[in-house]
Each structure stands twice: as C-alpha cells, then as structure tokens.
C-alpha cells in the first residue's frame, strides 16, 4: 500500500473500485449468459462465424469514439474545470463533446452501412457464399446500434467524472438482456441464419435501452445541455487535441483485432467463433479488475495532477492500483490455464456446443492467458499517462504491440501447427498466444516510460511470487478434486472445483501475509 496514503483515503478508492467492479461484474455475468444462450443456438457453425465477424466491424465505431477515447481525453479536462469551480464551462464542454460525437457517429454509421460489402472483404476475406452475404446483412443491422453505444460511452464519461461508477458499468446488462430475449423468442422458430438477423436487431434495441437507462442520471448532473459544434472553443479544442493520439491508438489496436479476425477467417470453420468465445472469458478479469481499478484511478489521478506534490501522490496511487490488479488477475490467469476446461464447459457446453468445442476454446483461452496480467497492469499504466495529459506515448507503445502481434500471429496461426504436427484449427490458439506475448512487451514499455517521468513503481517480485505460488497451489488442489469427483454435471463440478480454488488461494495468501487481502478484511470491518 502507498505509505503516504491514509486509511481513510484508501477505503474510498476501494469502495469506488468495488462499485465499478460490481457494475462490471453484473454486466459481464449477463454477457456470459448471453454467450451461453448464443452457444446453445449457434455452436461453432457458419452462422456463428458470420455473427461474430459482423459484430467486430461496427464495434470499430464504438471503440474509436467510445469509452477509451473519452476517458483519456474528456475526463481530465472536465474534472479540471470542476476542480476550479467552473461548473458552467464544464457543462458547455460536455454538451459540445456530445454534439460533435453525435455528428461524427452519424456520418460513420452511414458510411458503414453503405460500405459493408467492402468491409467484409477487408475483415473476413476467407468467407464465401451465404456466410459472406449473411455477414454483410448483419453489419448493416448492427452499425446503428454501435452508434448508440458511443453516446452511452459519453454518458459513462460524465457519470465517472462525478464518481457514479455503478450505473455506468451496469448499464450493459440491459443490452445483453435484449440480445438474450431476441434469441430466446425466435430461436425455436427460425433457422440459424434468420436467427442471426433477429439477434442483431435485439442488439440495436438494447443499445437504445442502454442510453435510456443512463440518461436520467446524466440529466440530473448536467441539467439543460447546450449542444454546440463550436470545436474552436478552448476546452473542446483541448479535448479534441488530446483525443487525436488516443483515437489513433484505438485505431491501431482495432486494426490488430481485425487482422486477427482476418487471419481466423482463413482457418477451419468455427475458428472465428472460437476466438470470440475465448475473448469473452479472457476479458472478464480484465474488465472486472483492470478496468474497474483504472476507471476509478483516472479521475482521482487527474485531480492529483492539479495539486501539490503531484508526482509523489501519483506514485502512491499507481503502486496501490498495480497491487490490487495483480492480486486478482494473477489467479485468474492461472485458473484459465489449469482449469480452463471446467470454466469453458460450465459457460458454453450446451446444445450445439460439444466436448470437442470445449477443448478448442480452452486451448485458445490458454494462449490468451499468457498476456492476461500484462494487459491488466497495462491499463493502469495507460491511465497514468492520460492523467498526465500524455496521450501520445501510449499510442507509440500500442503501435509496437500491434506490429509484434501481427508478425507473431501469422507465424503462430499458419506455420506453428504444421511445425508441431497438430490440426490446423489450433492456429487460432496461436493467434491469442502471439497477442499475449505482445502485451508483455507493451506493458514493459509503458512502465519504463513512466519510470523516467515520475519514478513509477513496479509490483515487487516478492509480492508476485507470493500470489503466483498461492494460485499454483490452488490450481493443484482444484485439479486433484476434479480427478476425484464423479461426473455430476458441468455446473456442479465447476462450483466445487472453482470454489476450492478460490478458498485455497485466499487461505494461502492470508498465510503468506499478502497485504492486499488483509487490507480487504479491514475495509469489510470498517463498513
């Protein structure tokens, strides 16, 4: 823990992270339910490949204009105005950014709908015939929904700036609910190709509901909004200037994701869906732990930068946040590697999703787990740069990551299976392994850059050794229990095995006097 921070200062940060984490948890759990229903109806079929590929393309719009860009560029400027007591200017800034986002998003939606066939040729060139035609139709349906999610990200930026973390991160529950409802209502009445279109329509409806559920809280904070396209206004110009490198960085990362999708489209049928299934699980701890801590720390760090002794306070908050993330992400990575089959079976094994699919997704998830810790820590390092109003350094490091991911991805996806004498379908696991290695390179560059600027701390090797050994001991216990258990069903087995895993990890961490666990106990007592 930061030595200079008082207990009272740490607990609000933990409570805020808990609120954000609770919202994200609800969102991700509903997402897992959505994926389980999707696996039941679609499995690893051609329709599943088409839907997962189509879903990626309009997500480009959301990721370029959405939460990441707004968090890095809008929140620090907005909080700076609030800290000075200039609430009227802060409201004008929020209204101006909303107007510019709405216009830019509308233009991109129109372009995306018209250009869908060409986008498919770029992103999923391996698709042919009816699979390609279905993907085009799905892209055209999904694009307007992605535009609405950009507005939802603006709502999140406003709510987070005012420490309203739960609603903003729990709002996607209603989006997932709409998609699930569409699949359940039409799943037994239509074939997979037609059902994919109904599911896409459900996603669009859910996007509108996600904005609607946040809007009353945003209106209560901002009051009557003044929409303006005056991009020359000082603070709007500053947000746009800060957003440019983040926008480019998100674009670079998206290019990497689309390169992975393009490569997966040339692999055997089901590779695209397998990649998406594994990413849903992989992103769960990143969102719950890396994102929740980073989301809370960005507004806090932005406020610290404007005060006295900024570097010392930044170091304290960064060190504290890194340990929080590592304490929770390290056991997640070990669980995915050692017990991934139990996890995948519990979530996905149903209907059209069989035992061979479980192994395929587990292997792909194991590859992604290599970079899980680096991705979690990297989020907080990036947030520190953004709090310092430096959006260019993360862009430069992201470009290195993407270049490395692409080169290693081609080798691992197409050549490595042949070298190892295994089925070509395992190339999709090679893609996630390549991304994991590149994530470590990016995280190292981010950390070194901050060490030069503010003598940024790193997670101590002793701390990492303690939590890693605790997680390995828990994995051994979980695997032993799995071998001893009769076949009671995927959910009952998962509850017992993962329950033991968590209990052994926490007990071992307590025995080794890991400070994060003891701090959590003090927080619970205080509450």
């Amino acid at each position: 823990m930061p030595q200079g921070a008082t207990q009272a200062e740490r607990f609000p940060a933990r409570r805020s992270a808990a609120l954000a984490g609770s919202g994200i948890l609800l969102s991700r759990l509903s997402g897992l339910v959505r994926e389980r229903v999707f696996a039941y109806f679609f499995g690893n079929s051609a329709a599943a490949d088409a839907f997962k590929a189509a879903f990626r393309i309009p997500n480009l719009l959301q990721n370029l204009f959405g939460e990441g860009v707004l968090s890095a560029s809008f929140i620090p400027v907005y909080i700076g105005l609030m800290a000075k007591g200039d609430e009227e200017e802060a409201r004008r800034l929020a209204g101006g950014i909303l107007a510019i986002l709405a216009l830019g998003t509308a233009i991109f939606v129109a372009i995306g709908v018209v250009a869908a066939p060409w986008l498919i040729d770029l992103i999923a060139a391996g698709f042919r015939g009816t699979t390609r035609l279905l993907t085009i139709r799905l892209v055209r349906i999904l694009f307007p929904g992605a535009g609405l999610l950009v507005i939802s990200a603006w709502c999140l930026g406003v709510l987070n700036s005012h420490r309203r973390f739960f609603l903003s991160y729990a709002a996607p529950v209603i989006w997932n609910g709409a998609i699930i409802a569409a699949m359940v209502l039409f799943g037994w009445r239509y074939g997979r190709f037609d059902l994919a279109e109904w599911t896409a329509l459900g996603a669009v409806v859910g996007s509108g509901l996600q904005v609607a559920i946040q809007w009353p809280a945003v209106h209560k904070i901002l009051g009557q909004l003044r929409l303006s396209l005056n991009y020359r206004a000082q603070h709007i110009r500053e947000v746009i200037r800060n957003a440019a490198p983040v926008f480019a960085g998100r674009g670079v990362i998206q290019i990497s994701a689309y390169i992975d999708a393009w490569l997966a489209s040339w692999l055997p049928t089901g590779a695209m869906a397998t990649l998406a299934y594994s990413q849903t699980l992989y992103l769960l701890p990143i969102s719950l732990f890396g994102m929740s801590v980073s989301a809370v720390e960005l507004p806090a760090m932005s406020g610290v930068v404007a005060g006295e002794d900024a570097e010392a306070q930044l170091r304290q908050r960064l060190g504290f946040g890194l340990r929080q993330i590592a304490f929770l992400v390290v056991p997640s990575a070990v669980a995915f590697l050692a017990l991934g089959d139990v996890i995948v079976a519990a979530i996905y094994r149903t209907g059209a999703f069989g035992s061979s699919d479980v192994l395929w997704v587990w292997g792909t998830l194991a590859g992604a787990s290599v970079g899980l810790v680096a991705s979690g820590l990297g989020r907080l390092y990036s947030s520190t740069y953004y709090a310092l109003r430096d959006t260019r350094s993360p862009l430069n490091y992201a470009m290195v990551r993407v270049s490395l991911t692409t080169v290693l991805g081609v080798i691992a996806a197409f050549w490595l299976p042949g070298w190892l004498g295994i089925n070509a379908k395992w190339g999709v696991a090679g893609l996630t392994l390549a991304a994991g290695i590149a994530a470590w390179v990016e995280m190292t560059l981010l950390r070194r850059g901050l060490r030069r600027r503010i003598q940024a701390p790193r997670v101590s090797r002793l701390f990492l050794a303690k939590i890693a050994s605790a997680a390995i001991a828990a994995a051994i216990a979980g695997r032993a229990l799995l071998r001893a258990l009769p076949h009671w069903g995927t959910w009952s087995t998962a509850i017992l095995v993962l329950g033991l895993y968590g209990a052994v990890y926490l007990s071992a961490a307590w025995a080794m006097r890991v400070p994060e666990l003891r701090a959590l106990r003090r927080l619970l007592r205080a509450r």
Side-chain angles (χ1 to χ4, degrees):
M1 285 182 199
Q3 296 301 315
T6 67
Q7 192 177 69
E9 288 171 331
R10 294 179 208 131
F11 285 173
R14 280 199 176 92
R15 282 194 287 269
S16 296
L19 286 173
S22 298
I24 293 170
L25 177 62
L26 289 175
S27 171
R28 292 297 175 179
L29 288 176
S30 66
L32 290 178
V33 174
R34 180 199 73 212
E35 288 298 292
R36 182 173 175 83
V37 175
F38 186 92
Y40 179 87
F41 287 110
F42 291 98
N44 272 330
S45 63
D49 278 349
F51 189 90
K52 295 300 184 181
F55 209 72
R56 286 177 175 272
I57 295 173
N59 268 4
L60 172 65
L61 180 67
Q62 181 186 353
N63 284 303
L64 285 180
F65 289 97
E67 178 190 343
V69 175
L70 285 171
S71 295
S73 57
F74 170 72
I75 289 179
V77 179
Y78 183 84
I79 285 182
L81 290 171
M82 295 295 293
K84 295 175 183 177
D86 196 349
E87 296 184 6
E88 183 61 29
E89 182 60 27
R91 281 195 292 270
R92 280 197 290 269
L93 171 64
I97 294 301
L98 175 60
I100 293 170
L101 276 177
L103 178 61
T105 299
I107 293 171
F108 270 84
V109 167
I111 293 173
V113 170
V114 173
W118 295 277
L119 291 173
I120 297 303
D121 290 338
L122 288 173
I123 304 305
F127 284 1
R128 295 289 184 271
T130 55
T131 303
R132 179 179 180 275
L133 293 176
L134 174 62
T135 309
I136 292 171
R137 291 198 301 273
L138 293 176
V139 167
R140 286 174 166 162
I141 295 170
L142 288 167
F143 247 114
L148 288 170
L149 291 179
V150 172
I151 306 303
S152 175
W154 173 85
C155 294
L156 180 145
V158 173
L159 293 173
N160 281 9
S161 297
H162 290 268
R163 308 297 197 271
R164 308 285 184 86
F165 295 106
F166 180 77
L167 176 61
S168 56
Y169 285 111
V173 170
I174 198 167
W175 178 74
N176 286 318
I179 297 174
I180 293 168
M183 287 189 284
V184 171
L185 285 173
F186 301 105
W188 288 280
R189 298 166 57 185
Y190 295 95
R192 287 174 178 165
F193 274 46
D194 289 333
L195 177 60
E197 295 188 34
W198 282 108
T199 305
L201 287 170
V204 176
V205 173
S207 300
L209 293 174
Q210 186 171 323
V211 175
I213 199 172
Q214 295 178 86
W215 193 259
V218 172
H219 184 266
K220 185 176 180 180
I221 290 171
L222 296 178
Q224 188 65 39
L225 277 175
R226 299 179 182 179
L227 301 181
S228 171
L229 293 173
N230 182 16
Y231 62 89
R232 297 181 182 276
Q234 176 187 348
H235 296 104
I236 292 178
R237 190 168 64 248
E238 183 179 359
V239 171
I240 294 174
R241 184 172 62 249
N242 292 342
V246 188
F247 183 91
R250 300 290 290 189
V252 168
I253 293 171
Q254 286 303 301
I255 289 171
S256 176
Y258 289 119
I259 290 173
D260 285 348
W262 186 85
L263 294 173
S265 74
W266 293 98
L267 294 172
T269 298
M272 186 79 75
T274 296
L275 183 63
Y277 288 134
S278 66
Q279 286 177 338
T280 298
L281 294 175
Y282 163 82
L283 289 173
L284 181 59
I286 294 294
S287 300
L288 281 176
F289 310 130
M291 184 185 295
S292 62
V293 174
S294 300
V296 170
E297 288 298 330
L298 177 56
M301 287 179 173
S302 299
V304 162
V305 167
E308 298 179 358
D309 200 18
E311 288 192 10
Q313 292 190 56
L314 276 177
R315 286 195 296 270
Q316 291 173 358
R317 299 203 72 96
L318 178 58
F320 173 53
L322 290 173
R323 284 191 296 276
Q324 280 188 300
I325 293 172
F327 178 71
L328 296 166
V329 174
V330 167
S332 300
V334 174
F336 284 159
L337 286 167
L339 301 169
D341 55 338
V342 178
I343 297 170
V344 172
I347 301 300
Y348 295 126
R349 189 171 180 181
T350 180
F353 197 98
S355 56
S356 61
D357 298 313
V358 169
L359 293 177
W360 196 2
V361 174
W362 179 22
T364 307
L365 179 62
S369 299
V370 170
L372 190 66
V373 176
S375 296
L377 299 180
R379 279 184 173 270
L380 186 57
Y381 281 126
S382 295
S383 292
T384 308
Y385 280 99
Y386 298 147
L388 292 167
R389 308 281 180 95
D390 178 3
T391 55
R392 293 189 178 276
S393 295
L395 166 61
N396 295 333
Y397 301 142
M399 292 176 69
V400 173
R401 174 181 177 176
V402 168
S403 300
L404 187 59
T405 299
T406 302
V407 173
L408 294 178
V410 171
I411 296 171
F414 297 107
W415 298 342
L416 187 59
W419 294 342
L420 297 177
I422 58 178
N423 194 305
K425 74 178 187 178
W426 290 106
V428 68
L431 287 175
T432 57
L433 176 62
I437 294 171
W440 279 104
V441 173
E442 181 192 33
M443 190 275 289
T444 302
L445 293 173
L446 287 165
R447 185 184 64 208
R448 287 181 177 177
L450 279 176
R451 284 183 67 84
R452 289 193 296 267
R453 295 188 59 173
I454 62 170
Q455 290 298 304
R458 60 186 298 171
V459 183
S460 75
R461 292 176 181 175
L462 178 60
F463 178 78
L464 286 175
K466 285 182 177 181
I467 58 177
S469 59
I472 291 171
I476 293 172
R479 208 73 213 176
L481 177 61
L482 182 63
R483 290 175 62 88
L485 284 176
H487 184 69
W488 289 344
T490 55
W491 271 103
S492 55
T493 299
I495 290 171
L496 291 172
V497 171
L498 297 179
L500 177 64
Y501 178 86
V504 172
Y505 174 73
L506 294 175
S507 299
W510 180 262
M512 289 185 285
R513 298 181 179 275
V514 172
E516 293 306 310
L517 186 57
R518 294 176 178 270
L520 177 61
R521 183 185 180 187
R522 288 196 301 270
L523 172 62
L524 294 175
R525 283 181 174 178
R527 289 182 64 82

